[in-house]
Amino acid sequence: MRHPWRSLGVWLLLVVAAVGLGASISMKTTTDADYRTGQSGTAARWIDQAGLSAPDSEYVLVRSASGGAVGGDVRAAADALGREVARDAHVRKVAPAIVAPDEKSVLVVATMKKAADDATPDVSGLEKAVAQAQERAPNLRFVQTGDTSLSNAINDRVAADLGSAETISLPVTLALMLLVFAALIAAGIPVLLAVTSVFATMGLMGPISLIVPMEPTVTSMILLIGMAVGVDYSLFYLKRERQERQRGHDTVDAVEIAAATSGHSIVVSGFAVAVSMVGLYVVGDATFNSLATGALLVVVIAVFGSLTVLPALLSLLGHKVDRPRIPLLWRVSARMQPGAISRRLLGPAMRRPVVALVAGVVLLAGLAAPALGMKLLTSSLDSLPQDLPAVQAMQQIGTSYPGDGPTAEVVLRGEPGALQQAVKAVETKAASTGDWKQVADPVRQSPDGRTVVLTLGSVAAEGSFAAGDAVHRLRSEVLPPVIPDGGEWAVGGGVASSYDEMQQQSDGLPKVLIFVLGLTLLMMAVTFRSVLIALLTTALNLLSLGAAFGVITLVFQHDWAESALGFSSTGGIISWIPIFLFVVLMGLSMDYHVFVLSRVREYVKAGVPPRLAVRQGVQETAGVVTSAAVVMISVFALFATLSMTEMKEMGVGLSVAIALDATVVRLVVLPSALALLGRAAWWPSRAVHRPEQQVQPSEQPPALTTTA
């Protein structure tokens, strides 16, 4: 505050330098090897080392536009496309066109050459050939799919969705800030801080990704968290500074008081969010590692900006921060008293705290009940946007061209002679369990004969509980007795990878819970010097989390909301969503609790009776918290409109949890619990029991000018 221009210069330098780094160093994204986990990861590594990796294939489905039976024109077009594709330098071979058993389509299969450094195969030439074939035969339909083209289609859709969300979120956030502050400069400051924090973080992702490879979706996380916390922190600070100016303090004193009170809350809140995000590292998953890194960095930058550039701007602007005013909104805002709307919920809760507490807990518990039936599933074709031609083509191939279906790969290493006998024994014993079936060309062997890969077809669908049980039995009962001494084995493939991914997340969840809840409890106990406050905050956060889980279970495990949200229910929740929501919401919900509890504690320390302190503290923070919640909900709700099912689940879960936290928890459950606990809520804090000044219940609480 003493050197505001210096603070502004440092912030501007940080943002420009970060953006410059991002422009000069491209973000290194994760590869397939980064996602390998458990025994299936070991199997994949052994297959690569032996040179037995199956080459990538691309498929082109050719059919009549009318959907009728395949005619000579369809066959001729498919053959011509095959000859054209075979000339592509990145294609190894093209198989003869295959007519589907129902004679409704023809399939052209191109095997791609292995790209250098395990890079994604270049399918641009194939895509160009397909586009040209479509132009030559407009009466036919050519659709390309495959691992590479499907991944490209999904990435393009996600990029388009995020671009749309970013375009909408900024004006929506600015409009909400205009409603809150009724002045253009004050409304623009939170948006400016949030946007610059997001830009700086995205720029730094380039150099950081050289150490921690990033998922492409990390930009979504940065935008999501950055806009939420950036606007929140600015709101806390701006609102407090404005309140102190209205109480008669000059600009310097108002900024100093805001720094000592709201600034302290921002530090605690930022630390809480950071602690929660660090919990994602405990799982040891490439996706969570990249998401945690992006979220952690944007929170740190947003906190830094809130403590430096924000007070600098307020010191320079002074009363001009409330200019130019929006006439109608300014008059309405000036006439509204703090907590005018929240009193309707808060009043009854304070008059009958027992009834309010029971009613609030019952409501949240009722919403949380469906979460007990939550089913976790891995991502699949059914969870992808169903309007993508590549997705539709892949589904049609699976239906019209019966093949091996989901498979597991048993990798055996040892002496060549012993391996041949072991392979036969494994194949026979696996088939006898009824879990596995034979496939075409089941055995691949390395040139030296020391590595053999046996492919088994799964009877159960990939990602199902039955498939997981089959993998477990294969590993624990089938393989150990038949593997020769000195031999090594590992079970990989699609079915085993899905099982290991689920196991990793299931094993990681208790670790994340212990880590995040333990550090959150400790942080709240140290911050407020109260064991009961720490326990109460954690319990309420878990209640709102449970309610959010219950709602997403009701919405996404059933089909009643499909048309409204534009998704196809898979009968379960994407497996990484619960851990992600738990960590993010534990951090974000702490913003409200720290801010509200800090204000209540200020009054308690000033000698205000506990129940009056609760009423006054909640009323004075109501406008800020409600405004921050509306911004968060607006940003999160945009993600519910995106194409990917997991993004929808994330958006709905976050929106519901924040809405419940800002209303039921903050205005009903928390104040009623604090009213019932009275001074005991702040045990063992001695400052509460030796107040600086005593105020009778009938008196108005004094203006607060000191830190909590």
Side-chain angles (χ1 to χ4, degrees):
M1 288 181 292
R2 295 180 180 178
H3 306 284
W5 288 110
R6 187 179 301 174
S7 298
L8 288 174
V10 170
W11 179 254
L12 183 62
L13 181 64
L14 169 67
V15 174
V16 171
V19 173
L21 278 173
S24 60
I25 303 176
S26 299
M27 188 172 72
K28 180 183 177 183
T29 56
T30 50
T31 63
D32 290 343
D34 295 315
Y35 296 97
R36 293 172 182 171
T37 183
Q39 197 178 117
S40 60
T42 301
R45 189 173 67 253
W46 287 355
I47 290 173
D48 283 348
Q49 292 171 354
L52 296 174
S53 300
D56 289 323
S57 295
E58 286 291 306
Y59 309 92
V60 181
L61 201 64
V62 187
R63 61 182 184 272
S64 170
S66 63
V70 169
D73 57 339
V74 177
R75 290 187 175 91
D79 291 338
L81 177 63
R83 290 191 296 270
E84 177 69 21
V85 170
R87 291 193 287 268
D88 190 309
H90 299 284
V91 174
R92 182 197 298 181
K93 65 178 182 179
V94 178
I98 307 169
V99 179
D102 61 5
E103 297 188 347
K104 293 290 184 69
S105 60
V106 178
L107 186 65
V108 178
V109 182
T111 302
M112 308 302 295
K113 291 180 180 177
K114 188 176 179 64
D117 300 325
D118 292 328
T120 302
D122 185 351
V123 298
S124 59
L126 200 155
E127 291 172 343
K128 182 179 179 181
V130 171
Q132 291 174 345
Q134 183 65 76
E135 291 177 2
R136 291 192 300 267
N139 59 319
L140 305 181
R141 289 292 176 266
F142 297 78
V143 184
Q144 181 180 343
T145 190
D147 289 340
T148 301
S149 56
L150 181 60
S151 177
N152 290 342
I154 293 169
N155 290 339
D156 290 344
R157 174 60 65 82
V158 170
D161 283 348
L162 293 177
S164 175
E166 292 171 9
T167 303
I168 297 172
S169 65
L170 290 179
V172 167
T173 303
L174 181 58
L176 291 172
M177 291 298 95
L178 287 172
L179 289 174
V180 171
F181 290 105
L184 190 58
I185 294 177
I189 288 176
V191 178
L192 181 64
L193 178 65
V195 170
T196 51
S197 298
V198 169
F199 282 167
T201 304
M202 288 185 177
L204 293 175
M205 285 296 100
I208 291 176
S209 68
L210 300 177
I211 302 171
V212 182
M214 297 293 161
E215 265 222 350
T217 54
V218 72
T219 54
S220 307
M221 169 64 111
I222 293 171
L223 174 66
L224 189 79
I225 303 299
M227 290 301 295
V229 299
V231 171
D232 269 15
Y233 298 160
S234 299
L235 269 173
F236 294 167
Y237 210 108
L238 276 166
K239 278 285 191 178
R240 187 59 186 262
E241 189 268 350
R242 176 186 271 189
Q243 286 178 356
E244 297 305 326
R245 279 195 289 109
Q246 290 172 348
R247 286 171 173 168
H249 293 100
D250 60 24
T251 298
V252 174
D253 288 342
V255 173
E256 288 181 349
I257 294 171
T261 53
S262 294
H264 177 264
S265 298
I266 289 170
V267 172
V268 176
S269 299
F271 184 73
V273 178
V275 164
S276 297
M277 295 307 165
V278 169
L280 287 175
Y281 290 114
V282 175
V283 182
D285 179 83
T287 299
F288 289 150
N289 289 346
S290 63
L291 295 180
T293 302
L296 186 62
L297 185 59
V298 77
V299 168
V300 170
I301 291 176
V303 170
F304 177 74
S306 299
L307 300 180
T308 55
V309 70
L310 188 56
L313 281 172
L314 294 178
S315 297
L316 289 172
L317 292 170
H319 291 276
K320 294 179 183 178
V321 74
D322 293 328
R323 301 286 192 277
R325 298 173 179 177
I326 302 173
L328 179 61
L329 287 177
W330 182 264
R331 286 197 294 271
V332 173
S333 176
R335 291 175 182 176
M336 289 185 65
Q337 296 296 319
I341 299 175
S342 63
R343 287 194 189 99
R344 298 184 179 182
L345 283 176
L346 182 61
M350 298 302 295
R351 287 194 296 271
R352 298 180 178 81
V354 175
V355 175
L357 181 62
V358 171
V361 170
V362 168
L363 173 61
L364 294 173
L367 289 173
L372 298 175
M374 180 185 290
K375 298 177 182 178
L376 300 181
L377 302 172
T378 54
S379 298
S380 64
L381 281 174
D382 293 335
S383 65
L384 296 175
Q386 297 299 294
D387 61 336
L388 283 177
V391 173
Q392 296 171 356
M394 190 66 82
Q395 290 172 328
Q396 185 174 347
I397 290 172
T399 302
S400 302
Y401 296 85
D404 298 331
T407 59
E409 293 181 322
V410 180
V411 186
L412 307 176
R413 302 205 305 183
E415 294 299 325
L419 286 183
Q420 296 302 322
Q421 296 179 355
V423 167
K424 293 178 181 178
V426 171
E427 191 172 16
T428 301
K429 191 168 183 181
S432 68
T433 63
D435 295 329
W436 308 97
K437 61 184 179 181
Q438 291 186 337
V439 301
D441 300 324
V443 179
R444 308 196 305 274
Q445 188 170 1
S446 63
D448 62 5
R450 300 185 63 83
T451 303
V452 177
V453 179
L454 171 64
T455 303
L456 301 173
S458 173
V459 174
E462 183 177 324
S464 64
F465 291 108
D469 292 340
V471 170
H472 177 72
R473 284 190 291 268
L474 183 64
R475 290 172 172 174
S476 61
E477 301 174 12
V478 175
L479 286 166
V482 298
I483 301 301
D485 293 339
E488 295 179 295
W489 59 270
V491 178
V495 174
S497 296
S498 296
Y499 173 73
D500 287 341
E501 181 183 342
M502 293 283 290
Q503 283 297 114
Q504 182 189 40
Q505 292 169 2
S506 297
D507 294 342
L509 182 57
K511 299 175 185 177
V512 173
L513 288 172
I514 293 171
F515 180 85
V516 174
L517 291 178
L519 283 183
T520 300
L521 274 169
L522 179 62
M523 184 201 70
M524 293 298 290
V526 170
T527 300
F528 292 99
R529 298 178 178 86
S530 168
V531 176
L532 285 177
I533 288 294
L535 292 172
L536 177 62
T537 299
T538 304
L540 295 183
N541 287 345
L542 288 176
L543 263 179
S544 59
L545 270 167
F549 287 164
V551 171
I552 64 172
T553 301
L554 283 174
V555 171
F556 293 99
Q557 278 190 193
H558 306 280
D559 57 9
W560 61 272
E562 286 182 335
S563 59
L565 291 175
F567 73 100
S568 296
S569 176
T570 58
I573 306 300
I574 304 300
S575 58
W576 62 270
I577 289 293
I579 294 180
F580 175 81
L581 285 182
F582 168 77
V583 168
V584 172
L585 289 173
M586 278 298 293
L588 294 182
S589 62
M590 294 294 290
D591 280 355
Y592 302 147
H593 288 276
V594 169
F595 189 62
V596 174
L597 289 171
S598 294
R599 186 63 66 90
V600 173
R601 188 167 180 262
E602 285 183 61
Y603 280 118
V604 172
K605 287 186 67 177
V608 177
R611 186 167 294 198
L612 183 57
V614 172
R615 180 190 294 273
Q616 194 69 15
V618 173
Q619 284 181 358
E620 287 193 2
T621 56
V624 184
V625 173
T626 301
S627 302
V630 171
V631 172
M632 276 196 185
I633 293 168
S634 300
V635 174
F636 295 157
L638 289 175
F639 283 77
T641 67
L642 303 186
S643 299
M644 302 293 289
T645 300
E646 46 258 71
M647 292 294 182
K648 293 179 183 294
E649 292 174 353
M650 182 174 69
V652 171
L654 290 171
S655 299
V656 169
I658 295 299
L660 291 172
D661 200 58
T663 54
V664 178
V665 172
R666 177 180 58 85
L667 295 177
V668 178
V669 180
L670 177 62
S672 59
L674 291 175
L676 289 172
L677 289 170
R679 291 192 180 278
W682 307 97
W683 178 86
S685 176
R686 286 186 235 171
V688 174
H689 294 284
R690 287 204 296 268
E692 298 167 7
Q693 63 182 97
Q694 294 294 329
V695 179
Q696 296 302 318
S698 58
E699 297 179 21
Q700 288 294 322
L704 299 174
T705 59
T706 58
T707 184

